[in-house]
């Protein structure tokens, strides 16, 4: 029987690439999205992958959303916590709302999703959770104290939850992408983006499929000895 996966933020960008790749590997994928229904419908029409709407920062909505996925597709074996937003600004200019929104979605979403699936994974003795962090959570980034804090928190969350899940057959890992050619990066001013690319040793932006390949490795049936790890896919921009 095919494994069932939820990919949050799964209808566009990196999330879309992950949803499509896992589907190609025989996984039954539910692609979560927050609000862009037109994009989600276009995604489903093009890929055949079902899309489910809820806000991962909302605990009750996430519980209900995961329950809806399980009712439609079966128990969830794999979760890829990819949903993320930016509300950039220096600390002096950042509002409390901009701080809360990024922390609640990017980091809080990992918590709400894990809470919704962890018990079932434990009972079945198998699970894969992959959290999408960021190079900016490892190295920091000017004007992103909220985003960098949330993504850094994801890396710590991953290591702690991995220790809780290991004896139950649940692996928890993270991927820290560098700058990937997505709509989010496309919104960066051209002169700024050019300077960023100059700092990437391979000399280019990454592609969403390159992140999806990392996810495919971490959720594989035979990846059970990999847990608590962070896979950096950043073109050599940050090495540690």
């Amino acid at each position: 029987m095919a494994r069932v996966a939820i990919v949050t933020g799964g209808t566009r960008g990196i999330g879309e690439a992950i949803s499509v790749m896992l589907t190609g590997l025989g996984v039954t994928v539910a692609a979560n999205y927050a609000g862009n229904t037109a994009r989600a419908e276009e995604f489903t029409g093009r890929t055949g992958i079902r899309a489910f709407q809820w806000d991962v920062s909302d605990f009750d909505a996430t519980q209900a959303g995961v329950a809806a996925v399980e009712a439609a597709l079966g128990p969830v074996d794999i979760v890829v916590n990819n949903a993320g937003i930016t509300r950039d600004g220096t600390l002096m200019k950042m509002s409390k709302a901009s701080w809360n929104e990024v922390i609640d979605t990017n980091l809080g979403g990992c918590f709400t999703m894990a809470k919704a699936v962890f018990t079932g994974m434990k009972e079945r003795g198998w699970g894969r959770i992959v959290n999408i962090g960021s190079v900016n959570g490892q190295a920091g980034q000017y004007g992103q104290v909220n985003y960098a804090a949330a993504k850094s928190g994801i890396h710590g969350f991953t290591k702690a939850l991995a220790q809780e899940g290991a004896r139950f057959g649940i692996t928890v890992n993270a991927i820290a992408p560098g700058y990937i050619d997505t709509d989010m990066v496309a919104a960066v001013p051209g002169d700024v983006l050019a300077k960023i690319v100059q700092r990437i040793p391979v000399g280019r932006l990454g592609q969403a499929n390159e992140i999806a390949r990392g996810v495919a490795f971490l959720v594989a049936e035979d990846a059970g000895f990999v847990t608590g790890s962070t896979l950096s896919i950043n073109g050599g921009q940050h090495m540690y």
Side-chain angles (χ1 to χ4, degrees):
M1 187 173 180
R3 297 290 188 186
V4 175
I6 295 175
V7 180
T8 68
T11 64
R12 57 190 301 179
I14 292 172
E16 176 178 338
I18 294 168
S19 295
V20 170
M21 182 166 288
L22 293 184
T23 298
L25 294 173
V27 176
T28 301
V29 174
N32 154 266
Y33 71 101
N36 193 337
T37 300
R39 175 62 183 260
E41 290 175 349
E42 185 278 332
F43 164 84
T44 296
R46 176 166 42 84
T47 66
I49 300 170
R50 294 184 61 174
F52 294 77
Q53 183 180 14
W54 71 85
D55 180 351
V56 297
S57 72
D58 183 324
F59 183 87
D60 292 335
T62 300
Q63 293 283 321
V66 171
V69 170
E70 294 195 322
L73 304 178
V76 173
D77 306 297
I78 299 166
V79 167
V80 183
N81 286 312
N82 168 74
I85 61 172
T86 56
R87 299 288 186 269
D88 292 352
T90 61
L91 178 67
M92 294 293 290
K93 296 180 179 179
M94 185 174 292
S95 68
K96 187 62 163 58
S98 293
W99 171 268
N100 287 345
E101 288 169 11
V102 171
I103 297 295
D104 290 348
T105 297
N106 298 14
L107 179 57
C110 293
F111 169 77
T112 62
M113 284 298 302
K115 283 285 286 186
V117 302
F118 199 83
T119 298
M121 289 179 175
K122 176 182 173 182
E123 290 172 350
R124 294 186 299 276
W126 198 95
R128 300 282 187 267
I129 298 174
V130 179
N131 303 313
I132 305 300
S134 171
V135 65
N136 290 346
Q138 297 171 318
Q141 177 61 45
Y142 183 91
Q144 285 196 324
V145 292
N146 50 1
Y147 185 84
K151 293 298 191 177
S152 180
I154 285 174
H155 299 310
F157 174 89
T158 296
K159 294 179 186 299
L161 188 59
Q163 295 181 52
E164 296 183 26
R167 64 193 177 99
F168 302 114
I170 305 169
T171 68
V172 187
N173 293 287
I175 291 179
Y179 283 82
I180 308 301
D181 191 8
T182 62
D183 291 344
M184 184 182 291
V185 171
V188 176
D191 58 333
V192 175
L193 187 57
K195 292 178 181 177
I196 290 171
V197 172
Q198 287 177 354
R199 299 199 302 268
I200 302 174
V202 302
R204 64 172 175 83
L205 296 175
Q207 299 298 312
N209 277 345
E210 293 176 301
I211 307 304
R213 290 188 191 100
V215 172
F217 163 68
L218 291 172
V219 304
E221 296 286 338
D222 56 359
F225 204 58
V226 183
T227 195
S229 295
T230 297
L231 176 59
S232 295
I233 306 177
N234 61 34
Q237 182 182 353
H238 180 68
M239 307 179 191
Y240 71 107

